[in-house]
Amino acid sequence: MILAIETSCDDTCAAVLDGEGRRALSNVVHTQTEHSRYGGVVPEVASRAHLERIDGVVQKALDDAGTGLDQIERVAVTVRPGLIGALLVGLSAAKGLAYARRLPLVPVNHLEGHVAAAYLADPTLEPPFVALIASGGHTALYSVTVSGMTLLGQTLDDAAGEALDKGARMLGLGFPGGPALSKAAQGGDPTRYDFPVALKDKSSLDFSFSGLKTSLLYKLKVFDEGEVREELPHLAAGYETAVVEALSRKLLRAADLYDAPDLYDAPDLYDAPALVVAGGVAANASLRRRLIEESEERGVKLVIPPPELCTDNAAMIGAAVPNTLAVPFPDYLGLNARSV
Ligand code: KG4
Ligand code: ZN
């Protein structure tokens, strides 16, 4: 079995998977609540909270899977990208556990982990496919083949999740902003206010969310508190819809480009039979609805992991093991985490 650990941001996570990394036997996520009073993740607070929780979370993952450390054959851990102090807690724990039992260690890239969640959701999925990763820290489109991931386009400024978090904050909603905005948007009219979708008609596969943020800021300037409360569902719905529109448009454009992949220096697109959406923002209900409809219309296979596998978790890190080189005992003691 594989023991996987993820501590790149504000979730302390551990999971146990079968030896192939294709089935999660447990998946424990402890979301740190220490950050809510700051309206965003405070790196040093995150590191300390990971340190306090990691042993208990690993133990719970083993218990939930009905197993013990003696059954573990490989330890997988997120080594990049993320908050450096937070990553170091998970990596140190993983090194200690692996070293004590002379096991190999598998250093996983967090973004490859997000994509690997799709293999847990659909074990029949195989590269090549096009993947959209939309999280709090990243928004990018990749062509995924057996030999790795090639970047097709990415955000020029904020990540989609970051835009949702900042928008929610401007509207006085809680953190994380994505789910808070969705809740506030219920019953709202997304067309009442005009929010911009950047690079809409450009042929590039890049994203930009800074204009959207500015647009909300200017709209709010002319409202008093009472008006903001009254207009909240419409503002939230309009803002969320603009993010959903930007993400779906570019992913579907990548799908439509099967016929002209040379334009994008991505010849693998020729054969890409499927679309994958991953990262915390993929938990968004209206994004899921929109993409399910559009991909059905196009007859393209679409894999979006269930929401609990979209937001940060360790099962996805374990699922990246088959595509990641393991480091043998004891060579990984010198291995370092990286923030980018
Ligand atoms: O992947 P993730 O859990 O952590 C990072 O690696 O960043 O993504 C977190 C982001 C946050 O910005 C959060 O607001 C957003 O994902 N998010 C959502 C939803 N759940 C989480 N955004 C929209 N709708 C959701 N249901
Ligand atoms: Zn993530």
Side-chain angles (χ1 to χ4, degrees):
M1 282 185 265
I2 298 167
L3 172 67
I5 293 175
E6 150 67 42
T7 62
S8 68
C9 192
D10 61 339
D11 298 297
T12 313
C13 317
V16 174
L17 292 92
D18 67 359
E20 281 76 50
R22 284 294 169 267
R23 199 162 65 87
L25 307 173
S26 67
N27 193 17
V28 179
V29 178
H30 168 74
T31 300
Q32 301 174 355
T33 52
E34 285 86 345
H35 309 283
S36 54
R37 53 195 276 228
Y38 305 107
V41 179
V42 183
E44 188 53 27
V45 171
S47 315
R48 285 162 196 261
H50 282 309
L51 199 54
E52 281 168 14
R53 291 285 178 162
I54 187 73
D55 289 347
V57 166
V58 167
Q59 189 59 54
K60 183 156 182 359
L62 292 167
D63 293 347
D64 285 1
T67 190
L69 270 182
D70 54 338
Q71 298 296 312
I72 301 298
E73 297 155 302
R74 279 179 289 185
V75 180
V77 62
T78 309
V79 290
R80 61 175 290 220
L83 303 172
I84 190 66
L87 287 165
L88 281 171
V89 175
L91 177 58
S92 305
K95 279 182 185 174
L97 289 164
Y99 186 81
R101 299 209 47 253
R102 307 173 76 90
L103 301 175
L105 187 107
V106 188
V108 174
N109 177 308
H110 183 79
L111 300 178
E112 290 175 16
H114 271 303
V115 171
Y119 297 121
L120 294 175
D122 181 351
T124 69
L125 177 71
E126 276 177 32
F129 53 81
V130 177
L132 166 69
I133 301 179
S135 71
H138 297 89
T139 296
L141 273 167
Y142 292 91
S143 157
V144 181
T145 67
V146 279
S147 47
M149 300 188 2
T150 311
L151 188 68
L152 300 174
Q154 62 183 327
T155 182
L156 305 175
D157 36 62
D158 287 347
E162 193 179 359
L164 291 169
D165 292 340
K166 287 177 177 169
R169 196 173 177 176
M170 282 190 251
L171 289 167
L173 303 169
F175 178 84
L181 264 176
S182 294
K183 202 164 157 225
Q186 275 169 22
D189 172 7
T191 60
R192 178 167 313 187
Y193 294 99
D194 191 26
F195 283 104
V197 176
L199 310 173
K200 196 159 69 174
D201 303 312
K202 287 254 166 57
S203 59
S204 89
L205 294 173
D206 290 331
F207 306 84
S208 166
F209 296 101
S210 62
L212 173 64
K213 224 171 44 189
T214 312
S215 157
L216 176 61
L217 188 69
Y218 279 104
K219 284 181 177 64
L220 289 176
K221 273 193 176 157
V222 300
F223 289 147
D224 64 29
E225 244 176 66
E227 285 169 323
V228 171
R229 244 195 326 273
E230 229 165 72
E231 295 303 308
L232 181 63
H234 311 301
L235 289 165
Y239 193 89
E240 184 188 37
T241 303
V243 173
V244 167
E245 178 64 24
L247 294 174
S248 351
R249 241 172 213 270
K250 297 290 170 157
L251 177 63
L252 294 166
R253 173 161 296 152
D256 289 341
L257 287 175
Y258 289 4
D259 291 338
D262 296 344
L263 285 179
Y264 292 88
D265 194 23
D268 302 319
L269 278 178
Y270 272 127
D271 304 316
L275 301 176
V276 164
V277 190
V281 180
N284 184 272
S286 58
L287 178 67
R288 301 171 78 92
R289 227 176 6 249
R290 163 92 198 268
L291 286 173
I292 289 168
E293 275 169 20
E294 297 265 2
S295 58
E296 270 172 11
E297 220 166 82
R298 288 170 159 79
V300 176
K301 179 182 168 112
L302 171 74
V303 182
I304 314 182
E308 67 275 14
L309 290 177
C310 287
T311 47
D312 286 351
N313 67 89
M316 71 183 199
I317 300 305
V321 165
N323 303 319
T324 312
L325 221 52
V327 182
F329 168 89
D331 298 358
Y332 44 78
L333 289 184
L335 199 72
N336 220 337
R338 278 180 53 190
S339 58
V340 290

